[in-house]
Amino acid sequence: MTVRFNIYRYNPEVDNKPYMQDYELEEIEPGMMLLAALLKLKEQDASLSFRRSCGEGVCGSDSMNINGVNGLACITPLSELKQPIEIRPLPGQPVIRDLIVDMEPFYQQYRAVKPYLIVNDPMPEVELRQTPEQRKKLDGLYECILCGCCTTACPSFWWNPEKFLGPAALLQASRFIEDSRDQALDERLENLEGPFKLFRCHTIMNCVQVCPKGLNPTRAIGNIKKKMVKKSL
Amino acid sequence: MAAIQRRQFDTLIIGAGGGGLRAALRLSEAEASVAVVSKVFPTRSHTVAAQGGMNAALANVSPDNWHWHMFDTIKGSDYLGDQDAIEYMCRAAPKAVYELEHFGVPFSRLDNGSIYQRAFGGQSQNFGGDQAARTCAAADRTGHAILHSLYQQNIRAKTHFFDEYFSVDLLKDEEGHVLGALVFNIMDGQPLIIEAKTTLLATGGAGQIYRNTTNAMINTGDGLGMALRAGVPLQDMEFFQFHPTGIAGRGMLITEGARGEGGYLVNGEGERLMERYAPKAKDLASRDVVSRAIATEIREGRGCGVNKDHVLLKLDHLGEAVIQERLPGIRQTCMTFLGIDPAEAAIPVSPTAHYTMGGIPTNRHAQVVVPVKDTPEEAVYGLYAAGECACVSVHGANRLGGNSLLDILVFGRAAANHIIGHLAENRYHRPMDESSVDKAMERFQRWNKNPGQEGESVDVLRHELKTVMEKHCGVFRNEAVLREGVAQVEQIAERFKDAKIDDHSDTFNTARVEALELENLIACGLATMHSAFARTESRGAHSRMDYPERDDKNWMRHSLYSLDTGLDYKPVRTKPVSVASFPPRPRIY
C-alpha cells in the first residue's frame, strides 16, 4: 500500500517562497498514526521539519493543519485521511520553517489572562478544601494542552490576533474563574471587558470542532459571559 | 565568526519539567535571577505524561505516616536506595503536595474536600502490612496538572525562559568549577553562552535508549551526556525500570493507578497471574516484580494473542463511571490507539521501558557529588542535578510508582534551597576557561558539515542502538547476552564518529538536534550496558538469569561509570538522618 502526501515546505534560508511538496510512503503499518508516517518521511528527507514529543496526545507539540483541519499528528490515524494527505502549518501564524510556526503570539495571549491561581489569604498548613462538586467544575477546562489547534482555527483570532484573546486563553481564564479556591474573580472578569478580548467570539465554534482533547472553549466563553452579566446586575 | 553572545544569571536551570520548574519558582521567589533553558516549550516536557499520582503520607484515606512510606521506598529499592535521602524525601512529601495544591493543582477530591489518594504498587501500612492509599492524584493526569500549575506559577514569578534552546555542554574554569553552559537557539541556530554561578541539570531520563518505550521522543538523556563529558560519572545506570503495563507493541503507558483502582492482569489461560508471584500484594507488587512475572508468563508460553506476546489488563468490572472519573486519560488513549474501551474490553499490555533509576550522583541537597581520592562523595562546585537525570539515590534498584513526581518536587526544591545559600556566599561570577567554550563549540559545529562520504545516517545508528539495548539489556539478562551488547554499543559509538546528517541549515534544524541527542543516548547506552555487564547479582530491576540471587556482601554498593576510566563503586548510605536504618531483608510482596 502506498500513501501519498502533499506537504507545505518553507525554509527561509533557501526558499524565496513556500511551496507544496509531494511524498510517498510505502511502509504502512496497521493502525499507523500520521506522526509515525511523518517520522518515516523525515528519514527519507531529513530537511522536513516539524515539532513532536510524547506521541500520545498529551504534550501538544505536533499540532498542524491536516486536510484542512487542525489536529495532532500523533493521534490522527492515517486510515481516516483522504489522499493525498495535505499537511500545512497551523493557519494564520508566522511560519518559522515547514510545519513549525511561531507560537509566541498564542503564548502571549495565554499569559495575558493571568493563568495561575490567585489566593490572597494566608495559606493553611494543609490543602485548601474543595468539594468533589466544586472540583468537577474544572473538568473540561484544566485538561488543555496548549497545542493551539483551537485558537489558530478561529476566524476572530485571524482578524484580531493582538486584541482577541482566542479560545485557548479564554478556556484558561474560565479554568480559574470556575476554581472555588481562586480569589480574583472580579479582577479576572474586569480584565476581559471591552469589545475585543472576549466579545470578539462570534460562536463560530471551529474551536470545539478541532480540539483534540474534546474540550469546549465556546461553552467556557459562554459561562464567562454569564458571570459578567451576573456581576453587572 | 562574530563573538558569541553572553548572558549572565545567578542560576541556570537546564530542563523545564517538574524538577526544573519547582526549583525555578523557589529561586525566582527568592529574588535570584534564573534562566530556564529547555529544548521544548515547558509544558511539552515529559512530566506532562505522568498519570497516576504522587506519594505522600497525608493519611486522607488510610492511616499513614512518613516512616511507613520510607520503609516501602527502601524495600522497593531492593536496599540500594540511600536511606538519608529517602527519609528526607518521605518526610518532605506532605508539604510538597500541599504546596502544589496551593499553586493551583486540581487534585481529585474526597467527599470532605481533602485530596484524593489511591492505592499504588509497593505501598503498605505499618512496615509491610495492609495496602496503603498514599498516591495523591488528579484523575490520571497528575503530571499534566502539576507541570501546567508550576509553569503558570513561574509566569507569575517572572522567571526567564529560553524556550527551544538546546544545551550543548557545561562550561568550567580551570579548577573544574561549573560556570554555566553553551546553548543554542534552535530557531536560528545561534549559540549563546549562559554564565551562571550555579547550574542545575533537570533534563529528565534516557528512555529513548530503548525501542519500545513509554517515554517521549525528547527523553534522550541530554543532562546525563553533558555530565559524562564534564567528567562526572553516572551512577547505577544498570537499573532501568520496565513498566508492567505499556500498551503491547506500541508503548503507551497505562498507569499503575489502573491496578490501584482495582484492575488486574490475566494470562493466556485466563488466570490471575499475579496470585502466583505475589500472593499478598498481587497486582500491586513492586514494578520490577510485576514486569518479571509478565515476562515469565510470556516466555513460558502463557501469553495472550496470536503470538502469545502480551497479557491482558482487565478493568471492565470497575464499571464505566469509575473508569470515566478516575481513569479518563487512559480510556482516551485506549480508544485512540487500540479502538478498545477499557470499560468493555481488556487492554493488551507488556513490560515497556519506562524510567532511568540511575543518573548523575547527588547528595540530598541535590549537589552533584563525585569520588575524589579517598572521599566517595565530594561536591562539584556550582553543579546540581534533580529529578530523573539525578541519582540521589531515592529509587535504588527499583522505583515505586508515585515516587517520581515526588522526587522531582522534593529535590527540585532542595536544590533551590541549597543554591540560595551558595549564592549568598558566592556573590560574583568566576572567570570562565575559554578553552571549555571552544570544546563545546567544536561539538556544536561538528554538525555543520559531514566528516566524509562514508558516514552512516543518524537515523540508522539510533534505530540500531535502540534495538541492541532492547535485545541485550531487557527485563532478563545474562553474561553472554550482555557481553555481546557491550560490544555492539561500543561499535555503534565508534561508528557514530563518522555519522552524517543531510541538513546543515541554521533555521530550526531538527536533524542537528537529533544528532546531538543521539550522542547523549549512546553515552547513556554505554553506561547502562557496561554497568549491567559488571553487576553479577540480581537486584531490583537488574535481573541476571546467571546470578538469580541478591548478593549483599559483594554488591550492596553503587556503580559509577565514567567515559574515561570505566567502572568504580561507592557504598550505599545505609544511615538515615534521624531514625534507625532498615537492614536488607528478603523482599517478598
Side-chain angles (χ1 to χ4, degrees):
Chain A
M1 192 170 99
T2 305
V3 174
R4 288 170 299 126
F5 299 84
N6 190 226
I7 301 179
Y8 179 102
R9 301 299 313 270
Y10 177 61
N11 177 353
E13 285 175 54
V14 289
D15 304 320
N16 290 324
K17 57 178 202 275
Y19 62 98
M20 299 299 288
Q21 185 172 346
D22 291 327
Y23 289 94
E24 283 189 359
L25 188 65
E26 291 184 357
E27 321 147 67
I28 304 296
E29 291 144 24
M32 197 175 194
M33 296 291 171
L34 175 59
L35 177 61
L38 287 174
L39 291 169
K40 292 245 182 235
L41 293 179
K42 190 172 173 61
E43 286 176 18
Q44 295 173 18
D45 174 359
S47 71
L48 176 63
S49 303
F50 49 90
R51 294 187 178 102
R52 83 287 179 278
S53 181
C54 75
E56 54 185 35
V58 297
C59 80
S61 297
D62 62 348
S63 46
M64 52 189 72
N65 188 271
I66 306 156
N67 281 347
V69 182
N70 291 351
L72 299 177
C74 61
I75 53 171
T76 301
L78 271 189
S79 57
E80 289 176 9
L81 297 170
K82 197 169 124 289
Q83 292 186 43
I85 301 168
E86 196 176 287
I87 306 176
R88 294 171 178 273
L90 290 176
Q93 305 306 298
V95 174
I96 296 171
R97 176 177 178 172
D98 298 344
L99 303 176
I100 296 165
V101 297
D102 182 0
M103 297 283 281
E104 192 47 33
F106 171 81
Y107 297 139
Q108 268 172 17
Q109 298 298 43
Y110 168 72
R111 291 193 287 262
V113 303
K114 297 194 177 172
Y116 40 81
L117 192 72
I118 298 176
V119 179
N120 300 317
D121 295 339
M123 288 291 184
E125 300 92 316
V126 295
E127 68 265 59
L128 296 159
R129 298 286 155 146
Q130 185 171 53
T131 67
E133 294 70 37
Q134 289 170 329
R135 169 61 182 75
K136 219 173 183 72
K137 289 191 173 169
L138 307 183
D139 285 341
L141 300 174
Y142 84 94
E143 302 93 324
C144 173
I145 57 171
L146 300 179
C147 64
C149 285
C150 60
T151 294
T152 61
C154 174
S156 299
F157 187 77
W158 299 338
W159 296 321
N160 290 292
E162 277 145 33
K163 294 184 194 163
F164 176 54
L165 289 167
L170 290 166
L171 186 89
Q172 286 296 325
S174 177
R175 180 247 171 279
F176 290 98
I177 286 169
E178 295 293 337
D179 195 320
S180 60
R181 300 169 294 174
D182 193 79
Q183 297 180 337
L185 176 63
D186 287 353
E187 181 192 330
R188 291 186 189 282
L189 293 177
E190 273 160 35
N191 184 35
L192 298 175
E193 276 172 9
F196 283 99
K197 285 181 176 173
L198 171 110
F199 284 96
R200 275 289 126 162
C201 168
H202 297 309
T203 58
I204 299 165
M205 295 182 73
N206 279 6
C207 54
V208 183
Q209 198 202 334
V210 300
C211 177
K213 304 308 286 181
L215 309 179
N216 189 330
T218 307
R219 186 166 62 211
I221 293 167
N223 287 339
I224 299 175
K225 285 181 183 166
K226 273 187 224 158
K227 285 235 156 64
M228 286 174 132
V229 172
K230 205 170 144 196
K231 182 174 165 254
S232 68
L233 289 177
Chain B
M1 177 176 164
I4 306 165
Q5 207 202 335
R6 286 170 190 250
R7 300 277 301 265
Q8 285 196 335
F9 292 88
D10 289 334
T11 300
L12 165 63
I13 297 176
I14 303 177
L21 292 185
R22 182 66 193 88
L25 179 58
R26 174 96 180 88
L27 286 161
S28 286
E29 285 182 333
E31 295 182 10
S33 70
V34 184
V36 179
V37 168
S38 171
K39 64 180 177 179
V40 293
F41 180 73
T43 66
R44 322 283 179 224
S45 307
H46 194 53
T47 300
V48 81
Q51 297 176 352
M54 167 172 173
N55 298 330
L58 305 186
N60 286 356
V61 173
S62 58
D64 211 353
N65 72 56
W66 63 263
H67 203 188
W68 301 349
H69 182 190
M70 178 183 170
F71 167 79
D72 290 339
T73 303
I74 292 166
K75 179 181 171 186
S77 81
D78 217 348
Y79 300 90
L80 192 72
D82 289 317
Q83 299 196 10
D84 59 335
I86 293 174
E87 176 182 337
Y88 179 83
M89 178 176 81
C90 296
R91 285 188 94 152
K95 191 175 169 205
V97 171
Y98 295 140
E99 279 177 348
L100 285 177
E101 199 277 339
H102 297 165
F103 296 156
V105 172
F107 284 109
S108 300
R109 299 289 171 155
L110 296 160
D111 286 340
N112 69 1
S114 61
I115 291 170
Y116 173 73
Q117 296 187 280
R118 60 163 55 110
F120 240 57
Q123 304 290 342
S124 74
Q125 302 179 43
N126 205 10
F127 310 107
D130 291 344
Q131 176 70 41
R134 184 178 289 146
T135 308
C136 307
D140 61 354
R141 301 188 179 102
T142 316
H144 171 282
I146 290 173
L147 184 67
H148 280 251
S149 295
L150 285 172
Y151 179 59
Q152 292 164 345
Q153 289 295 330
N154 273 286
I155 294 173
R156 181 184 57 73
K158 300 189 176 65
T159 302
H160 289 268
F161 281 99
F162 290 81
D163 296 338
E164 298 185 327
Y165 278 68
F166 190 92
S167 298
V168 179
D169 262 322
L170 296 170
L171 301 176
K172 301 200 275 193
D173 67 9
E174 278 155 13
E175 292 165 70
H177 300 156
V178 173
L179 303 173
L182 177 79
V183 306
F184 72 93
N185 186 347
I186 297 172
M187 189 168 79
D188 61 13
Q190 295 308 302
L192 170 70
I193 292 168
I194 297 188
E195 294 186 40
K197 298 172 204 165
T198 51
T199 301
L200 169 63
L201 295 170
T203 53
Q208 283 293 324
I209 55 174
Y210 287 97
R211 191 185 64 87
N212 191 26
T213 173
T214 66
N215 278 210
M217 297 181 71
I218 56 173
N219 291 14
T220 51
D222 300 332
L224 286 77
M226 274 188 273
L228 274 177
R229 287 190 298 276
V232 175
L234 296 185
Q235 180 177 323
D236 295 341
M237 288 296 286
E238 63 271 44
F239 299 101
F240 198 94
Q241 179 162 80
F242 292 84
H243 195 289
T245 59
I247 291 182
R250 306 200 65 160
M252 289 83 195
L253 174 67
I254 302 297
T255 174
E256 188 165 301
R259 281 170 285 137
E261 296 291 344
Y264 57 85
L265 297 163
V266 289
N267 66 14
E269 292 162 15
E271 175 197 18
R272 277 192 71 166
L273 62 106
M274 282 312 298
E275 287 177 351
R276 271 188 285 118
Y277 296 89
K280 191 161 153 230
K282 300 192 181 78
D283 294 86
L284 289 178
S286 237
R287 285 183 180 169
D288 58 333
V289 175
V290 182
S291 280
R292 268 194 298 277
I294 297 172
T296 304
E297 292 296 300
I298 294 169
R299 284 159 57 101
E300 293 177 359
R302 292 188 297 277
C304 303
V306 184
N307 300 320
K308 299 191 172 207
D309 58 358
H310 61 266
V311 297
L312 292 172
L313 174 61
K314 237 174 89 63
L315 300 177
D316 54 325
H317 58 289
L318 301 177
E320 192 185 338
V322 169
I323 291 174
Q324 190 51 38
E325 189 181 347
R326 300 296 184 206
L327 305 165
I330 62 121
R331 187 182 194 194
Q332 205 170 39
T333 298
C334 289
M335 299 216 237
T336 303
F337 288 96
L338 297 169
I340 284 176
D341 181 353
E344 289 165 7
I347 311 166
V349 294
S350 60
T352 304
H354 184 59
Y355 187 86
T356 313
M357 259 88 66
I360 303 160
T362 71
N363 60 23
R364 67 176 189 272
H365 309 293
Q367 290 178 286
V368 172
V369 290
V370 296
V372 177
K373 290 187 190 137
D374 296 336
T375 327
E377 300 186 327
E378 191 159 310
V380 179
Y381 178 98
L383 186 61
Y384 294 77
E388 192 172 342
C389 73
C391 186
V392 190
S393 161
V394 285
H395 308 306
N398 169 66
R399 176 174 71 76
L400 293 186
N403 269 357
S404 64
L405 286 174
L406 178 60
D407 172 9
I408 64 178
L409 291 153
V410 167
F411 292 103
R413 193 180 194 284
N417 286 340
H418 201 277
I419 287 170
I420 289 166
H422 180 99
L423 293 174
E425 286 167 21
N426 297 271
R427 299 186 55 199
Y428 305 104
H429 290 266
R430 288 168 178 268
M432 188 100 59
D433 173 11
E434 293 304 317
S435 76
S436 87
V437 176
D438 296 342
K439 225 171 134 188
M441 277 301 288
E442 205 175 290
R443 177 166 178 264
F444 170 56
Q445 290 171 330
R446 148 77 173 84
W447 301 101
N448 287 351
K449 60 178 198 287
N450 292 327
Q453 290 303 309
E454 302 303 308
E456 294 164 277
S457 82
V458 164
D459 290 318
V460 165
L461 291 170
R462 185 179 53 239
H463 286 307
E464 199 171 318
L465 174 71
K466 289 156 78 90
T467 308
V468 169
M469 291 303 298
E470 179 165 287
K471 227 170 121 186
H472 294 272
C473 208
V475 173
F476 290 112
R477 304 160 177 187
N478 69 42
E479 186 182 331
V481 165
L482 285 166
R483 183 190 302 282
E484 178 62 24
V486 167
Q488 290 197 19
V489 178
E490 287 284 3
Q491 193 215 42
I492 290 168
E494 201 52 39
R495 284 153 60 198
F496 179 78
K497 291 178 184 159
D498 298 319
K500 58 175 189 163
I501 57 174
D502 294 331
D503 183 356
H504 302 292
S505 53
D506 279 326
T507 309
F508 223 107
N509 185 341
T510 48
R512 174 165 57 191
V513 169
E514 287 175 18
L516 290 163
E517 287 174 335
L518 180 59
E519 189 171 2
N520 293 327
L521 283 173
I522 291 173
C524 293
L526 282 170
T528 305
M529 204 60 103
H530 276 287
S531 307
F533 178 64
R535 185 175 284 268
T536 50
E537 66 156 352
S538 289
R539 183 186 296 271
H542 177 65
S543 199
R544 292 276 304 245
M545 308 286 276
D546 42 354
Y547 298 92
E549 300 301 321
R550 192 176 76 197
D551 177 0
D552 291 325
K553 191 163 156 271
N554 294 305
W555 285 108
M556 207 169 124
R557 52 182 185 160
H558 296 295
S559 311
L560 293 171
Y561 173 81
S562 307
L563 284 181
D564 295 335
T565 54
L567 282 162
D568 189 7
Y569 295 91
K570 70 174 183 184
V572 174
R573 297 171 74 94
T574 50
K575 200 173 149 16
V577 182
S578 72
V579 293
S581 60
F582 289 101
R585 290 210 315 235
R587 192 159 156 262
I588 299 157
Y589 282 99

